[in-house]
Amino acid sequence: MDMSTFADRRARLLETMGRGIAVIPTAPERLRSRDSHHPYRHDSYFYYLSGFSEPEACLVLVAGAAPRALLFCREKDAEREVWDGFRHGPAAAREAFGFDDAFPIGSLDERLAELLAEQPVLHYSLGHDADWDGRIVAALNRARAGARGGARAPAEIRDVRAALDEMRLIKDAQEIAAMRRAAAISCAAHRRAMRACAPGRFEYEIEAELLHEFRRAGAEGPAYAPIVAGGASACILHYVDNRRPLRDGELLLIDAGCELDSYAADITRTFPVNGKFSPAQRDVYELVLAAQQAAIAAVAPGRPWDAPHEAALRVLAQGMLDLKLLAGSVDGALESGAYRRFYMHRTGHWLGLDVHDAGEYKVDGAWRPLAPGMTLTVEPGCYIRAADDVPRALWDIGVRIEDNALVTPGGCEILTEAAPKSVAAIEALMAGGDA
Ligand code: GLY
Ligand code: MN
Ligand code: MN
């Protein structure tokens, strides 16, 4: 990663702030059990501005005529480094990451009170971490106490994430490059899973193929818990047990993507366990694919955020009528929301450092227009649970198809094309071809 990119982002945020001081801490470490921790993952906002991924760190930006970016981080500690590995320490971090100054994290509370004095605005995102909120309020109170000696504490607190959300919505070249690599690795993992799939194998075995491919290719790991859902489990949207055997004649839905250089891919493919779609499975699959194609066609600059969803809904509602899942008219199904029984989620979300990435979907009450550099998922589905009023052949068929799109000046580019999607491509790959 090019460190000047992070410095440029800090400079842009400082300019947007205009005045005041921003405090952006990274994520805390979380205990898993006794003295072992969950794998550490930095906070995405903090990382976006710093490129620094050690825990126990905080970024402080001071706006004004002479803007400054300060890092607070762990000190060098020869003994701890034997146990936990390398830590930069303030001096090396300042040098390597291009901060104006860096200090031990232990000095933050004291320095923060001093830094807050004479600042009109504190840019901080309250309510996300109670420990940090407590530290910040304590520092504010110390600055206020100091006000009796003539210094003034900030009179205003603004949510720094609001400005950062806007910045994070439009991906720069470095981010797009990382997302392309995350997408390529994740597509390879889906191909590997399709090849490995066969009746009698277990969902966790297929999950292991995905994880193997992620790590083999150098990704940090999965960007979220992989969903490997055979048969009826595909109708459970957040199924992550992944422990059932895969049966001949069922579909397998896999929703999995890796995190690479802190950026996520988020791909879903659905395919037959035995490599050949049954006529009923094919009907539902082709419907979801047509809905996805309609949605992708609606991803273009100037189109509102909701356009892909509306396009997918119309195709899905018509298909549900054709399949005798619903009765009446398309407009009737859309108006009454009857389609929600079989399609209960939205058609996408922003994608980036977080799987469900930062950014508002509405601006002043209206859907946000898409613009070049935005990245989003397009993921319609259809989930048919067994029920007396549903045609028997369609029971327990759950299909979702999810791709990652980059909005371009002329429309969009699908970053995840390399994961087979047409019936013919899936069946060819599973038959031993190299689709
Ligand atoms: N994998 C999470 C999602 O599709 O939104
Ligand atoms: Mn998604
Ligand atoms: Mn997904």
Side-chain angles (χ1 to χ4, degrees), residues 224 255 266-268 379 402:
Y224 53 92
D255 185 343
D266 181 8
I267 304 177
T268 306
E379 50 176 308
E402 175 173 27

Side-chain angles (χ1 to χ4, degrees), residues 73-422:
C73 67
R74 299 181 305 189
E75 290 187 84
K76 293 295 285 178
D77 181 333
E79 195 185 328
R80 282 316 317 168
E81 290 183 50
V82 168
W83 290 88
D84 302 330
F86 175 77
R87 33 177 93 178
H88 280 86
R94 188 188 74 77
E95 184 71 20
F97 294 85
F99 297 105
D100 295 303
D101 220 335
F103 306 96
I105 187 74
S107 69
L108 176 70
D109 293 334
E110 198 187 315
R111 279 188 190 266
L112 206 49
E114 293 163 15
L115 285 164
L116 285 171
E118 301 300 342
Q119 293 294 343
V121 188
L122 167 62
H123 301 261
Y124 172 76
S125 195
L126 270 170
H128 296 283
D129 184 296
D131 291 342
W132 275 105
D133 289 355
R135 278 175 96 161
I136 300 297
V137 169
L140 262 180
N141 283 335
R142 278 199 305 282
R144 284 175 186 146
R148 285 190 283 277
R152 292 204 333 191
E156 198 183 322
I157 302 181
R158 276 194 216 149
D159 189 352
V160 67
R161 291 192 182 186
L164 285 168
D165 284 349
E166 289 300 304
M167 290 171 62
R168 285 178 57 184
L169 255 182
I170 307 289
K171 272 63 178 178
D172 59 36
Q174 190 163 306
E175 295 183 287
I176 291 168
M179 291 183 72
R180 277 189 205 289
R181 292 201 304 280
I185 294 169
S186 304
C187 286
H190 277 265
R191 291 198 301 273
R192 184 181 179 115
M194 285 179 192
R195 283 197 196 97
C197 183
R201 297 203 69 181
F202 282 76
E203 291 164 344
Y204 53 76
E205 291 182 80
I206 307 303
E207 179 182 2
E209 300 288 340
L210 297 160
L211 299 179
H212 179 108
E213 192 62 30
F214 291 165
R215 288 298 281 160
R216 192 190 70 76
E220 284 96 85
Y224 53 92
I227 296 169
V228 183
S233 304
C235 298
I236 303 168
L237 296 179
H238 292 161
Y239 177 83
V240 288
D241 285 349
N242 302 353
R243 14 166 38 97
R244 276 185 65 252
L246 298 170
R247 303 206 176 91
D248 200 359
E250 288 179 343
L251 288 175
L252 175 59
L253 181 154
I254 296 181
D255 185 343
C258 72
E259 181 173 299
L260 190 274
D261 289 346
S262 298
Y263 284 81
D266 181 8
I267 304 177
T268 306
R269 289 292 184 264
T270 309
F271 53 91
V273 167
N274 64 15
K276 197 102 187 105
F277 285 89
S278 74
Q281 289 168 348
R282 195 181 170 122
D283 285 345
V284 180
Y285 189 85
E286 295 282 17
L287 167 61
V288 176
L289 189 56
Q292 203 216 22
Q293 278 154 353
I296 289 172
V299 178
R303 301 295 302 274
W305 163 260
D306 211 27
H309 182 58
E310 292 298 328
L313 276 188
R314 196 152 272 285
V315 175
L316 285 170
Q318 179 63 58
M320 289 172 194
L321 296 173
D322 298 343
L323 291 170
K324 311 255 180 293
L325 291 168
L326 299 178
S329 68
V330 169
D331 287 332
L334 293 176
E335 224 157 88
S336 69
Y339 66 85
R340 287 201 193 100
R341 180 175 170 196
F342 305 105
Y343 181 48
M344 58 298 280
H345 59 78
R346 297 193 61 86
T347 302
H349 48 83
W350 305 126
L351 181 71
L353 282 169
D354 297 320
V355 173
H356 290 195
D357 206 36
E360 296 291 340
Y361 292 96
K362 283 190 170 178
V363 183
D364 299 331
W367 294 112
R368 180 188 284 278
L370 297 173
M374 291 177 174
T375 46
L376 60 147
T377 67
V378 186
E379 50 176 308
C382 185
Y383 313 92
I384 309 169
R385 290 162 179 271
D388 288 340
D389 59 343
V390 163
R392 181 71 184 81
L394 301 178
W395 285 14
D396 295 336
I397 292 182
V399 173
R400 176 165 66 257
I401 307 172
E402 175 173 27
D403 281 296
N404 303 164
L406 163 69
V407 183
T408 59
C412 75
E413 178 190 338
I414 299 300
L415 304 177
T416 45
E417 292 282 14
K421 190 160 71 169
S422 71

